[in-house]
Amino acid sequence: MHATITPATLAFDADGHPYSPFFDDVYHTTSGGLGQAQQVFLACNGLPSRWAGRAAFTIVETGFGLGLNFLATWAAWRADPARSRRLHFISIEKHPFRVDDLARLQAAWPELAELSAGLRRQWPALLPGVHRLGFDDGRVTLDLVFGDAVQALPLVEARADAFYLDGFSPACNPDMWSPAVFAQLARLAAPGASLATWSVAGEVRRGLQAVGFAVERRPGFGGKRQMLAGRFEGAAPSPEAPAERRALVIGAGVAGSSVAERLAARGWQVVVVDEADGPGQGASGNKAGVFRPLPSLDDNRLARITRAGFLYGLRHLEHLARVGHPVRWSPCGVLHLGRDAKQEGKMRAVVDAHQPPADYLRFVGQEEAGQLAGWPVAAGGWWFPGGGWIQPPTLCAANLAAGGEAIRTRFGQRLARLERVDGEWVAFDAAGAEIARAPVAILANGVGIRALPQAATLPVRPARGQVSHLPAEPASAPRVVVCRLGYVSPEVDGLRCAGATFVADDEATELREAEHRENLDKLDFILPGFAAPFDPAGLAGRVGFRPASPDRLPMIGAVPAVAQAGRDTPLADIPRQPGLYAVSGFGARGLVWASLAGELLASRLSGEPLPLERDLVDAMDPARYLLKPPRPGAGGEE
């Protein structure tokens, strides 16, 4: 079920200290929030000395609140010449503040003004799930997890070096200090992980000791006599050492280029191989693709993954522009109309039930929908103000350019076979000549993955998609993307895209008049009468082949080494081919998933916290089909 995020209420107690009406407690001690952050949470965790010389250091916090602990930690990290190369901060928050309220509260600490302004510039929409933000050229990562800690912590995948236990008091918020939460802290703890909290309540001490933390009282801060420090002494798996940081990426579309850029940002050396003469020439070659999420009333896995992909994708587009490699795209908005009155009612019900921020999603009636489209329409539906269109080849090119010298490309090289030789994956061409090699290989070559024997366990199906190109005048309607069983884009370079067909297991490359006619029929369903001037016999267009999956979810992760597994076998116990990974099965949603897929796989390969909940990571594991074989005929697009 969808967990609606209720924002924190801006309130103050009688002495002017920030106060939570939800929990009837103040956000920080009356002696000063910044001093509490520095003495209780940093010093009590041995920071900054404990991160000195480390490749990475990870902190998990229970209760983001005003963001003061994060800002104080970031400031200390910045000021420390011996700091770790990367800092990862994960924080859970059930009631996040709106950004304007956060600005008012953080103004109390002018010494942190630069950092707090940077945080607010990236402050995410108040929607459930993991929101990954990057600072200081990606060396500092903040994962904001919006939701209840009892439900959210089990879904976090990380190895924590330190814990900041900073929820409201056990008397006011007992769930935050429950055995269930303490058990998750133990699960997340790296060997020797430290913890700190201002609470010395007996149930807190006993609960932490029960899961393997040795705790001790220390002198408190301000008017508080004591605080609590701890160290994890229970059994904990050692963090996996990353493989040698060299990777071979097969495919230079949105999937492959996204993985390559995210690996390069972590110091990997990457070789990208593609048979085309440049990036984004296959399924990623359209002039304009739709970029928007896909909600559902029950907030199912597809809805959660598209929401996470959309929100991360927006931040990635901003990142590429910030580093000088802007993508050609337009946040013109996406209007998704109901197919009929029944679906229109369901779409309204989703918005009524979820209460999303209006700048993310709102329901519009038929009249307003027509105004947004600039054309009379037959139904209302969803309006995504931040959605729009992206030109996929420019995203691919920007990703590769952002990687700089860490990414080398081998264009015009057709992969004929892939072999494991002396601990490395070697790509060979048809003549048997070596193209490139690396310990890690990532298959992101669209439907071409089906030709590789190593990927035979993956049920990727080719789905032919024909887009029709319609002549269009600049600034003509519609100036937003409009969807209703198909889609139509605004004018781009004198053309607008309409489509697209979805024909499974059809690998013919020619343009077909029948599919142009199908696209025009969809266009007329979207915008009644709009298709009348166009003759399907004379239209231009483009045919691409999407790699589709049976369950409509992507395949991101290690490729299985076996063809069968028992239905009750844990995914983690399924044997995998050493160093071989897949990023495939995007279907028609490559643009909304690709950037997050790249971050997810790069995080996994680098031994870092994952940017997505564990259940969603498992839902995209390529080995899932070994546990539940796909139904025949599954995998069509709506």
Side-chain angles (χ1 to χ4, degrees), residues 295-368:
S296 70
L297 187 60
D298 62 351
D299 206 29
N300 58 32
R301 295 176 304 177
L302 177 61
R304 291 168 60 200
I305 296 170
T306 56
R307 179 173 68 240
F310 174 75
L311 295 172
Y312 182 84
L314 285 173
R315 290 190 288 276
H316 185 63
L317 290 167
E318 293 168 359
H319 161 72
L320 291 172
R322 197 162 51 245
V323 298
H325 302 288
V327 174
R328 191 167 185 209
W329 80 291
S330 172
C332 58
V334 176
L335 180 62
H336 183 157
L337 303 172
R339 291 190 300 268
D340 50 36
K342 182 178 180 181
Q343 193 197 29
E344 190 178 346
K346 290 181 177 179
M347 296 170 90
R348 184 191 295 272
V350 168
V351 176
D352 290 345
H354 294 186
Q355 294 293 300
D359 59 355
Y360 171 76
L361 166 65
R362 63 187 180 89
F363 181 85
V364 295
Q366 180 182 354
E367 182 178 353
E368 185 179 0

Side-chain angles (χ1 to χ4, degrees), residues 101-116:
D101 292 340
L102 209 57
R104 179 177 171 185
L105 292 162
Q106 291 174 346
W109 301 284
E111 61 268 60
L112 298 174
E114 179 194 352
L115 302 187
S116 58

Side-chain angles (χ1 to χ4, degrees), residues 580-599:
L580 186 64
Y581 298 84
V583 183
S584 190
F586 286 1
R589 299 189 179 88
L591 286 173
V592 79
W593 284 336
S595 298
L596 179 61
E599 178 69 9

Side-chain angles (χ1 to χ4, degrees), residues 50-368:
R50 284 188 60 231
W51 63 41
R54 298 273 297 270
F57 195 88
T58 298
I59 298 167
V60 172
E61 176 185 53
T62 57
F64 188 76
L66 314 184
L68 196 50
N69 292 337
F70 168 68
L71 294 171
T73 303
W74 183 11
W77 180 87
R78 264 191 168 189
D80 182 10
R83 61 181 175 261
S84 57
R85 290 199 296 274
R86 293 175 69 93
L87 174 67
H88 208 117
F89 198 101
I90 303 167
S91 189
I92 316 292
E93 182 52 60
K94 184 176 183 179
H95 297 296
F97 279 101
R98 295 181 177 90
V99 69
D100 291 344
D101 292 340
L102 209 57
R104 179 177 171 185
L105 292 162
Q106 291 174 346
W109 301 284
E111 61 268 60
L112 298 174
E114 179 194 352
L115 302 187
S116 58
L119 170 63
R120 294 194 303 274
R121 277 194 296 272
Q122 292 198 51
W123 193 245
L126 303 190
L127 293 161
V130 181
H131 303 266
R132 174 159 289 185
L133 315 181
F135 307 96
D136 282 348
D137 298 323
R139 293 173 296 158
V140 175
T141 300
L142 170 62
D143 283 345
L144 285 168
V145 187
F146 289 163
D148 184 273
V150 175
Q151 282 81 48
L153 275 171
L155 300 179
V156 172
E157 185 65 49
R159 276 283 166 260
D161 300 299
F163 294 97
Y164 294 178
L165 306 189
D166 196 22
F168 293 106
S169 71
C172 298
N173 188 15
D175 288 348
M176 185 69 90
W177 307 91
S178 64
V181 167
F182 296 148
Q184 291 304 317
L185 302 182
R187 179 184 67 83
L188 292 168
S194 64
L195 68 81
T197 178
W198 49 265
S199 177
V200 292
E203 63 265 35
V204 173
R205 299 196 313 272
R206 291 188 293 273
L208 291 169
Q209 289 168 338
V211 297
F213 286 92
V215 298
E216 62 175 355
R217 295 183 183 92
R218 293 187 184 175
F221 171 76
K224 198 166 188 311
R225 192 164 60 88
Q226 293 179 323
M227 60 184 177
L228 201 66
R231 181 178 176 84
F232 187 66
E233 295 184 340
S238 297
E240 294 182 13
E244 185 183 353
R245 294 189 174 221
R246 291 189 295 114
L248 172 64
V249 176
I250 309 299
V254 292
S257 68
S258 296
V259 173
E261 189 277 333
R262 292 287 77 205
L263 286 172
R266 290 163 167 82
W268 287 64
Q269 297 296 309
V270 184
V271 179
V272 178
V273 177
D274 197 292
E275 63 184 83
D277 59 2
Q281 301 300 303
S284 302
N286 288 336
K287 290 187 69 66
V290 184
F291 181 59
R292 57 86 196 262
L294 187 66
S296 70
L297 187 60
D298 62 351
D299 206 29
N300 58 32
R301 295 176 304 177
L302 177 61
R304 291 168 60 200
I305 296 170
T306 56
R307 179 173 68 240
F310 174 75
L311 295 172
Y312 182 84
L314 285 173
R315 290 190 288 276
H316 185 63
L317 290 167
E318 293 168 359
H319 161 72
L320 291 172
R322 197 162 51 245
V323 298
H325 302 288
V327 174
R328 191 167 185 209
W329 80 291
S330 172
C332 58
V334 176
L335 180 62
H336 183 157
L337 303 172
R339 291 190 300 268
D340 50 36
K342 182 178 180 181
Q343 193 197 29
E344 190 178 346
K346 290 181 177 179
M347 296 170 90
R348 184 191 295 272
V350 168
V351 176
D352 290 345
H354 294 186
Q355 294 293 300
D359 59 355
Y360 171 76
L361 166 65
R362 63 187 180 89
F363 181 85
V364 295
Q366 180 182 354
E367 182 178 353
E368 185 179 0

Side-chain angles (χ1 to χ4, degrees), residues 240-244 246-251 255-256 259 263 268 415 418 420 425 438-446 449 452 454-455 457-458 555-561 576-584 597-598 600-607 610 620-623:
E240 294 182 13
E244 185 183 353
R246 291 189 295 114
L248 172 64
V249 176
I250 309 299
V259 173
L263 286 172
W268 287 64
L415 175 70
L418 192 66
R420 186 79 172 168
W425 288 102
V440 170
I442 298 154
L443 308 180
N445 53 333
I449 196 172
L452 296 173
Q454 293 89 349
T457 58
L458 306 184
M555 306 174 194
I556 306 168
V559 177
R576 311 298 174 118
Q577 299 186 58
L580 186 64
Y581 298 84
V583 183
S584 190
L600 172 60
L601 189 54
S603 298
R604 173 74 82 188
L605 290 172
S606 302
L610 301 187
M620 297 186 290
D621 191 315

Side-chain angles (χ1 to χ4, degrees), residues 369-407:
Q371 293 170 353
L372 290 166
W375 191 273
V377 297
W382 288 327
W383 170 241
F384 301 97
W389 60 266
I390 296 175
Q391 195 165 82
T394 70
L395 174 59
C396 302
N399 278 329
L400 297 180
E405 295 182 358
I407 298 177

